[in-house]
Amino acid sequence: MAFLSIVRSYRNVLMALLVVSTLTTSCKKSGGSDPDIDPREQYVGMYDGDYRITIYIGSDGLTPDVGKINVAVTKASNPKEMYFDMSYDGNVKERVTAELNGDTFTIIDKKTDQITLTPTNRVNSDYAATGSFTSTQLLLNASANALRNGTQYSKKYDIIATRK
């Protein structure tokens, strides 16, 4: 009789250990990430919104160019990069490559731009752009800057687009 009591006790202890070990090893550790999930997936899609481009000569801003923008965001072949295919008012089309870092990005393949003062007077300039994604929007800010004959020229881009 004592032998059966001891066997039942060991059986209950083994069952309890089995249940506890199964529960503790089957849970995902917090802070871990699945290497099969591509973080770019959450941002891929079509975005529609508005752009505002303002040219400055010195500190004087000219009348801003405003309009509608469509941005198609797709994954590039490099794992941290995305393509932005932008269409300004359905006419001017441009593709740039962005390097993603969390929910922020930097445009990495466009380093120069032209600031058009008149149809025949253009200033070549350095270009830099950064932006971020929110849960529903793409926000991009860019600037082109140049110094010519002692005068500072700049072009500021502001883009806010909402995911369709």
Side-chain angles (χ1 to χ4, degrees), residues 119-159:
T120 58
N121 187 7
R122 296 185 175 132
V123 179
N124 292 325
S125 60
D126 295 329
Y127 176 89
T130 60
S132 63
F133 289 100
T134 68
S135 60
T136 59
Q137 292 186 317
L138 177 152
L139 311 168
L140 184 139
N141 299 100
S143 63
N145 298 292
L147 184 63
R148 185 168 86 174
N149 299 327
T151 303
Q152 179 69 42
Y153 297 92
S154 61
K155 183 177 180 181
K156 306 293 182 197
Y157 298 77
D158 296 301
I159 295 172

Side-chain angles (χ1 to χ4, degrees), residues 87-120:
S87 174
Y88 296 88
D89 291 324
N91 297 321
V92 179
K93 296 186 184 338
E94 175 179 38
R95 173 178 262 197
V96 294
T97 305
E99 183 176 74
L100 190 63
N101 183 11
D103 64 354
T104 64
F105 58 85
T106 302
I107 302 300
I108 59 172
D109 62 345
K110 183 175 179 180
K111 301 295 182 193
T112 62
D113 196 10
Q114 284 194 338
I115 301 172
T116 303
L117 303 172
T118 67
T120 58

Side-chain angles (χ1 to χ4, degrees), residues 10-70:
Y10 279 120
R11 185 183 64 181
N12 290 341
V13 169
L14 285 174
M15 288 299 282
L17 286 174
L18 180 64
V19 169
V20 169
S21 65
T22 301
L23 291 175
T24 59
T25 59
S26 66
C27 294
K28 182 179 176 182
K29 293 182 181 178
S30 64
S33 63
D34 187 344
D36 295 334
I37 296 175
D38 188 339
R40 299 174 296 172
E41 276 302 325
Q42 62 190 315
Y43 305 122
V44 169
M46 291 295 300
Y47 294 79
D48 291 335
D50 300 300
Y51 72 85
R52 178 185 187 94
I53 301 172
T54 307
I55 295 175
Y56 294 88
I57 302 172
S59 60
D60 297 327
L62 304 180
T63 302
D65 178 20
V66 295
K68 297 294 180 189
I69 190 166
N70 306 99

Side-chain angles (χ1 to χ4, degrees), residues 75-86:
K75 294 189 296 185
S77 57
N78 290 337
K80 291 181 80 178
E81 295 178 2
M82 303 185 80
Y83 294 126
F84 293 179
D85 291 301
M86 298 187 283

